[in-house]
Amino acid sequence: MAAVKEYCDRFGIKARSAIFREATMARVLEQLSDSHPTLF
């Protein structure tokens, strides 16, 4: 949380929820592409 606060303060970002949402979706999509289901 401290790192996110510092990042937001440094770059003047007021809406932290967007940062959390984008980071979460990036992580989810990354894991899905790494472990996609297989048929066999």
Side-chain angles (χ1 to χ4, degrees), residues 21-36:
R21 189 169 43 248
E22 289 176 15
T24 303
M25 288 307 297
R27 180 74 174 169
V28 167
L29 292 174
E30 178 184 317
Q31 286 184 347
L32 279 176
S33 68
D34 290 345
S35 62
H36 61 278

Side-chain angles (χ1 to χ4, degrees), residues 1-22:
M1 291 302 290
V4 172
K5 182 181 180 327
E6 182 179 336
Y7 179 86
C8 290
D9 290 344
R10 183 181 295 175
F11 294 107
I13 298 170
K14 302 252 189 255
R16 292 185 188 150
S17 61
I19 299 250
F20 287 116
R21 189 169 43 248
E22 289 176 15

